[in-house]
Amino acid sequence: MGEDSQGDLGGTGRGGGMRVAFDASSLIGSKSGVAYYTEGLILHLAKEYGDDIELVGHYCNFLGRRKNLDLPQAPNITYRPTKLLPAQVLNLLRRLRFWIPFELLIKGRADFHLFPAFIGWPSLYKTPSAPVIYDTTYLDYPEFVNTRALHDLKTFIPRTIKRSAFVITISETSAASISDHYDILESEIVITHVPPLGIKKLSKDSSKAQLKELGISDPYILFLGNLEPRKNLVTLLEAYKQLNDQARDNLALVIAGGKGWHDQEIQNTLADMQSQNYNIILPGYVDDKQRAALFEAASVFVLPSHYEGFGMTLLEAMSYQTPVIASDIPIFHEVCGEAALYFDPDSTQALAEQIQNVISDKKIAEQLVKSGNENLSRFSWKEVTSTIYKRIEKEVES
């Protein structure tokens, strides 16, 4: 249903199934990793539990100006947008310590409140709730987080946790960090991974058309993500410089994704390399079809991050039969296992060598694809939603 779907929110949803109200704000605008997780979770909860659950989403759409929103749709999903206040005002009120009860935002009551974007809202009725805290970058690597987000996360997450029945996170690595920082018991943290969402198999003609639209004709190395410090893009750029002449002549470097914050070093390096005629292609933010075409046609996907909460794009690449190279950090081992080549994220030479290994040895590339297919069997949205649904149900019934 669309944003004008109303539904009866006069009370809780016990009569027609459990009613779960959720924050849909991350689904508005350009999609991020948080948005993909939120979309997958809501769609699969709706699908797997049918009449047993009713989902009510809230987001801001000031004066209804945003049209044709791409929101998860199902008969048991409705939306209650706030149209009289822009999101910036709600965030400002929160920073001024004026917390609006979630019931006022969704215009009614629910059995449970789900906050998939780190920070939650209080409840008038002490309704049980859970946030999804993807990682603790803001505590472990504050230099990778912009100033405003850093303030909000440090200030509001402790309060959100205090009000919550439990916390959801997306990896064992993040769970251990959350437990350490906030002194939370293991039993109060629910771990669910992030399976690939909406894998689109494009026809050859469609894929070629998408790539042509993006200005891509050569074979290429792919990075996809926001251009920001923790993605370690300068190391990837410098590694591309170190490839032998034949490799660079045969392979472009495609860096796809939206503009991040504090990206001056990245932009300077890009400008310098482009002035020297390195074959670097910058398509910017890409939609789902373009994203699919990029993954499908890439010779290798590289994720050189210093830090991540999970690394969903690694599994996406595997879904499209694309070999994967990842930085040697604990979370990527948790996600990829033996299905990736790893490198020291501080070593451009190590990354250049791994790229050379994949593109020069067909057997290595084929083995990575095979291992990737096997690795994907560990991840399932059905399992994710079952874990979360059962825990919500337990809290509602207690």
Side-chain angles (χ1 to χ4, degrees):
M1 297 184 183
E3 71 162 34
D4 291 325
S5 301
Q6 299 298 309
D8 175 16
L9 283 177
T12 57
R14 305 291 174 87
M18 181 168 58
R19 179 175 288 146
V20 176
F22 67 97
D23 176 13
S25 59
S26 66
L27 300 170
I28 308 304
S30 299
K31 289 182 180 177
S32 63
V34 171
Y36 280 107
Y37 180 86
T38 302
E39 181 179 0
L41 177 58
I42 297 305
L43 279 173
H44 286 84
L45 279 172
K47 175 184 175 182
E48 297 294 336
Y49 294 97
D51 295 336
D52 295 327
I53 195 169
E54 177 188 352
L55 293 150
V56 182
H58 172 268
Y59 59 91
C60 289
N61 187 5
F62 186 53
L63 302 180
R65 289 174 178 171
R66 289 183 178 271
K67 307 295 183 184
N68 302 316
L69 295 173
D70 184 18
L71 298 167
Q73 305 292 327
N76 53 343
I77 302 175
T78 57
Y79 294 95
R80 281 296 182 94
T82 293
K83 295 185 178 181
L84 297 180
L85 291 174
Q88 294 89 331
V89 171
L90 280 185
N91 291 334
L92 176 61
L93 290 173
R94 183 161 56 190
R95 292 185 189 109
L96 294 173
R97 309 295 191 268
F98 186 82
W99 290 77
I100 299 175
F102 201 47
E103 287 87 355
L104 297 185
L105 297 177
I106 63 170
K107 307 173 185 68
R109 294 184 63 178
D111 298 299
F112 194 88
H113 295 166
L114 183 61
F115 301 113
F118 287 94
I119 298 170
W121 295 93
S123 169
L124 284 170
Y125 305 101
K126 295 185 179 180
T127 299
S129 65
V132 183
I133 300 176
Y134 299 83
D135 56 64
T136 55
T137 311
Y138 58 98
L139 297 174
D140 300 323
Y141 299 94
E143 67 274 19
F144 293 156
V145 183
N146 74 61
T147 304
R148 177 165 290 180
L150 184 65
H151 168 271
D152 288 353
L153 293 168
K154 282 187 171 182
T155 303
F156 302 136
I157 284 182
R159 301 180 186 195
T160 296
I161 291 174
K162 189 175 181 179
R163 291 192 296 262
S164 301
F166 59 92
V167 170
I168 301 167
T169 194
I170 56 175
S171 69
E172 298 281 354
T173 304
S174 291
S177 184
I178 291 168
S179 178
D180 288 344
H181 283 298
Y182 295 110
D183 195 24
I184 300 175
L185 298 174
E186 282 187 22
S187 60
E188 296 173 334
I189 302 176
V190 173
I191 302 170
T192 65
H193 288 142
V194 190
L197 175 68
I199 300 304
K200 298 180 184 296
K201 297 298 182 182
L202 304 178
S203 68
K204 286 187 178 180
D205 288 344
S206 176
S207 183
K208 285 182 180 179
Q210 296 294 331
L211 294 176
K212 184 178 180 181
E213 185 178 316
L214 296 173
I216 300 170
S217 57
D218 299 326
Y220 57 91
I221 302 160
L222 175 65
F223 165 85
L224 194 153
N226 289 334
L227 278 62
E228 58 183 69
R230 71 184 172 93
K231 298 295 185 179
N232 195 24
L233 283 170
V234 172
T235 292
L236 174 56
L237 291 165
E238 295 294 337
Y240 183 65
K241 281 185 184 180
Q242 293 184 22
L243 297 179
N244 63 44
D245 291 343
Q246 181 181 1
R248 283 201 313 274
D249 289 343
N250 292 329
L251 279 174
L253 174 59
V254 175
I255 296 180
K259 181 178 172 59
W261 75 284
H262 198 54
D263 62 347
Q264 196 58 54
E265 184 183 9
I266 299 168
Q267 297 297 341
N268 289 344
T269 306
L270 283 168
D272 180 62
M273 290 179 68
Q274 288 177 315
S275 72
Q276 298 177 57
N277 295 317
Y278 284 97
N279 191 5
I280 298 173
I281 301 170
L282 303 169
Y285 180 81
V286 292
D287 63 27
D288 287 348
K289 278 190 176 180
Q290 294 168 332
R291 187 183 184 99
L294 284 171
F295 275 119
E296 199 166 49
S299 298
V300 60
F301 175 74
V302 180
L303 190 55
S305 307
H306 286 297
Y307 187 94
E308 291 283 348
F310 189 72
M312 180 186 71
T313 49
L314 295 167
L315 297 183
E316 280 189 273
M318 292 176 193
S319 298
Y320 288 102
Q321 316 297 302
T322 298
V324 162
I325 298 173
S327 52
D328 190 2
I329 57 177
I331 183 58
F332 287 169
H333 284 274
E334 184 177 337
V335 173
C336 298
E338 301 299 316
L341 292 184
Y342 298 98
F343 70 96
D344 178 349
D346 295 318
S347 172
T348 57
Q349 181 179 350
L351 175 52
E353 288 174 356
Q354 292 293 45
I355 293 172
Q356 291 278 178
N357 288 335
V358 174
I359 64 177
S360 63
D361 192 326
K362 190 175 179 180
K363 288 184 178 179
I364 290 177
E366 288 175 347
Q367 182 57 50
L368 286 172
V369 170
K370 181 181 177 182
S371 299
N373 288 331
E374 294 169 355
N375 185 57
L376 287 169
S377 66
R378 298 193 294 127
F379 303 93
S380 159
W381 276 112
K382 187 171 184 177
E383 182 178 339
V384 168
T385 51
S386 173
T387 299
I388 292 176
Y389 180 86
K390 288 176 181 177
R391 185 57 184 265
I392 290 174
E393 188 176 44
K394 177 182 175 182
E395 296 298 334
V396 169
E397 292 178 351
S398 63

